[in-house]
Amino acid sequence: MDVVASALQRQLGESYDPFTDPQLSDPFPYFEQARAEPVFYSPKLDYWLVTRYHDCREVLQNSKIFSATNTLETIKPLCPHALQVIQSGFR
């Protein structure tokens, strides 16, 4: 799926860092600005962020459309030794 981000969406995504100040100590000004573009991608977190209440509610209640099942998959295939350890039950 091709997604064309607006300049504001790119700026919001690039500047989003919930683990450092000023966003860590007071996230409200940032999210007030972010509600102008209710969905944006954060490359730092590698996640899409949804900022409006009704949109968040829809995402959380509609797991057929919005899913995080890909987080359960490995990023790359496991090496043979890791597979052997998993199959043996970590013994």
Side-chain angles (χ1 to χ4, degrees):
M1 173 170 110
D2 290 333
V3 177
V4 178
S6 72
L8 180 56
Q9 284 174 316
R10 285 191 301 277
Q11 185 269 327
L12 288 167
E14 292 294 330
S15 65
Y16 184 63
D17 188 353
F19 306 112
T20 62
D21 282 329
Q23 292 172 18
L24 180 62
S25 61
D26 185 12
F28 299 107
Y30 181 85
F31 280 111
E32 182 176 353
Q33 179 187 15
R35 282 190 290 278
E37 286 287 353
V39 177
F40 62 91
Y41 177 75
S42 168
K44 184 175 288 191
L45 299 178
D46 194 22
Y47 281 102
W48 286 91
L49 283 87
V50 180
T51 61
R52 291 184 183 162
Y53 173 81
H54 294 291
D55 297 327
C56 293
R57 191 175 156 117
E58 176 68 20
V59 167
L60 292 170
Q61 291 181 339
N62 195 336
S63 61
K64 289 184 181 182
I65 294 175
F66 305 102
S67 173
T69 57
N70 65 332
T71 61
L72 302 176
E73 300 172 6
T74 57
I75 296 172
K76 60 183 181 177
L78 297 173
C79 70
H81 179 71
L83 285 173
Q84 181 182 15
V85 170
I86 290 171
Q87 291 170 347
S88 70
F90 297 95
R91 293 184 191 141

